[in-house]
């Protein structure tokens, strides 16, 4: 039986639903990254580190809500908090106590966060951070890193996205005027950013994922971030860390705590809301955040202030999940456990490559496990260092055939993962890691 035949035999209900979905959803999907041939699995329920599709096939899940579920699916405190809150109302059209507690929790955890404004997604957080930086500096241009991912706003999709080339935006529909306001630098190359700052005197901000572009795939380091911190201060430019992925994952205070380099503004999302929709925020120092505040002065309030809206900013059920999640993370055990399991998984999967003589590698920091499947890696299997030695443009050059086959084979063995990154959680176990390594072994053997 071919792989596709086996897939269709095991997931018939997903195929049926996919045909229905194709009639009403472009590509039959609600998110770009669910695209797969012959069709994606449709899920019915999830708990802990597991999820089940419509045909009751069980999967160890490494998508973990695109990285938002650091505690795993349906963590009891989170479920209880959301249930209670939904019974008390999902939108008051008004201020309420729990949003203040959420703001206090985040600002007590993230070192550079003195004040915070909630948004309804990570994409919106980046949009607001850039707007604040422009209002604060009175300048327009944004320096970004090639290949970095910051959501799907016009600015974010210039030079960003899953696949090169980076000089063409990741999406069509972006005006040339907007493209003219974005300057791209090579990731991990402080001198490239410095050169841009020397040449352009109209730069408002430098926007980076501190753990490395695209969920940590691209180079970054403490030294690099320290250099960015130094040069942005020198040139009066706002340094923005996009910690949508790294926030509350690398450390309770995110990558800025992990590496000890503090930005002016931080974009947050995902884990902050414990897997509930509406996860987003910009946090920062009082001076810049005060651009969201009124002063009772018409000149300031109408012409200089940053106006920001959003029906679902800090919506009560989201906030309930966020508060419950952050309390657990703050209490200490979740991050070290997810990190320990990720270490084991990286090591186990690399052993498989080594055993089969396949020169690929798994790398990544914290609880992220990142496959590098299409490169003859010089320093294999010293993955952390290997990625710095590579031409970063090769890292994102996915071979769709390899990825499709890998994902399909792993799904058939009860493992589901996002081919860009596997997210470990507090809910995974040593047994999950062992089963995944075994499935990887079967897969690499078959694909070799
Ligand atoms: N920034 C980074 C670093 C991300 O990884 C993402 C999403 O994956 C975003 C921003 C966008 O967040 P959202 O999907 O909540 O809009």
């Amino acid at each position: 039986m071919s792989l596709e035949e086996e897939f269709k035999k095991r997931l018939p209900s997903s195929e049926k639903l996919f045909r229905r979905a194709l009639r009403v959803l472009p590509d039959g999907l609600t998110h770009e990254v669910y695209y797969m041939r012959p069709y994606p699995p449709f899920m019915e329920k999830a708990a802990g580190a597991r999820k089940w599709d419509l045909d009751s096939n069980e999967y160890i899940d490494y998508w973990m809500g695109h990285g938002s579920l650091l505690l795993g699916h349906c963590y009891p405190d989170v479920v209880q908090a959301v249930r209670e809150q939904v019974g008390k109302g999902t939108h008051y059209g008004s201020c309420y106590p729990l949003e203040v507690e959420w703001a206090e929790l985040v600002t007590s955890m993230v070192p550079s966060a003195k004040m915070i404004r909630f948004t309804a997604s990570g994409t919106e957080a980046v949009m607001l951070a850039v707007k604040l930086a422009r209002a604060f500096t009175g300048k327009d241009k944004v320096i970004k890193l090639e290949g970095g991912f910051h959501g799907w706003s016009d600015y974010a999709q210039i030079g960003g996205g899953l696949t090169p080339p980076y000089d063409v935006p990741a999406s069509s529909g972006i005006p040339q005027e907007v493209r003219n306001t974005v300057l791209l630098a090579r990731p991990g190359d402080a001198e490239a950013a410095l050169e841009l700052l020397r040449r352009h005197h109209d730069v408002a901000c430098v926007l980076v994922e501190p753990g490395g572009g695209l969920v940590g795939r691209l180079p970054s380091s403490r030294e690099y971030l320290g250099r960015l911190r130094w040069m942005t201060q020198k040139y009066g430019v706002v340094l923005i860390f996009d910690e949508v992925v790294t926030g509350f994952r690398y450390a309770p205070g995110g990558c800025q705590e992990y590496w000890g380099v503090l930005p002016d503004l931080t974009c947050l999302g995902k884990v902050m809301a414990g897997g509930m929709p509406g996860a987003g925020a910009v946090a920062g120092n009082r001076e810049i955040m005060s651009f969201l505040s009124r002063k009772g002065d018409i000149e300031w309030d109408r012409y200089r202030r940053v106006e920001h809206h959003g029906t679902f900013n800090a919506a009560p059920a989201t906030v309930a999940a966020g508060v419950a999640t952050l309390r657990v993370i703050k209490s200490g055990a979740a991050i070290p456990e997810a990190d320990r399991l990720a270490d084991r998984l990286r090591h186990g999967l690399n052993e498989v490559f080594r055993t089969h003589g396949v020169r690929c590698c798994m790398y990544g920091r914290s609880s992220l496990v990142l496959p590098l499947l299409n490169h003859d890696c010089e320093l294999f299997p010293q993955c952390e260092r290997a990625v710095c030695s590579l031409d970063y443009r090769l890292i994102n050059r996915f071979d769709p055939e390899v990825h499709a086959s890998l994902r399909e084979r792993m799904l058939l063995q009860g493992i589901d993962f996002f081919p860009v990154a596997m997210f470990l959680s507090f809910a995974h176990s040593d047994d999950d890691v062992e089963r995944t390594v075994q499935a990887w072994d079967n897969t690499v053997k078959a694909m070799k």
Side-chain angles (χ1 to χ4, degrees), residues 121-123 126 149-151 209 242 244-245 270 279:
S121 69
T123 294
V126 174
F149 185 76
H150 303 280
E209 290 165 82
D242 179 347
V244 169
V245 168
K270 298 201 192 261

Side-chain angles (χ1 to χ4, degrees), residues 340-389:
R340 183 187 73 80
L341 290 164
D343 262 347
R344 274 204 64 189
L345 186 60
R346 275 190 292 267
H347 181 74
L349 301 181
N350 277 329
E351 278 303 307
V352 169
F353 285 138
R354 198 203 312 264
T355 306
H356 292 288
V358 174
R359 291 171 66 85
C360 297
C361 72
M362 308 300 284
Y363 65 106
R365 300 182 181 92
S366 177
S367 42
L368 302 168
V369 178
L370 312 171
L372 188 54
L373 300 176
N374 55 350
H375 198 273
D376 199 18
C377 182
E378 281 299 306
L379 293 173
F380 166 83
Q382 302 295 327
C383 311
E384 190 95 83
R385 282 191 289 136
V387 77
C388 298
S389 77

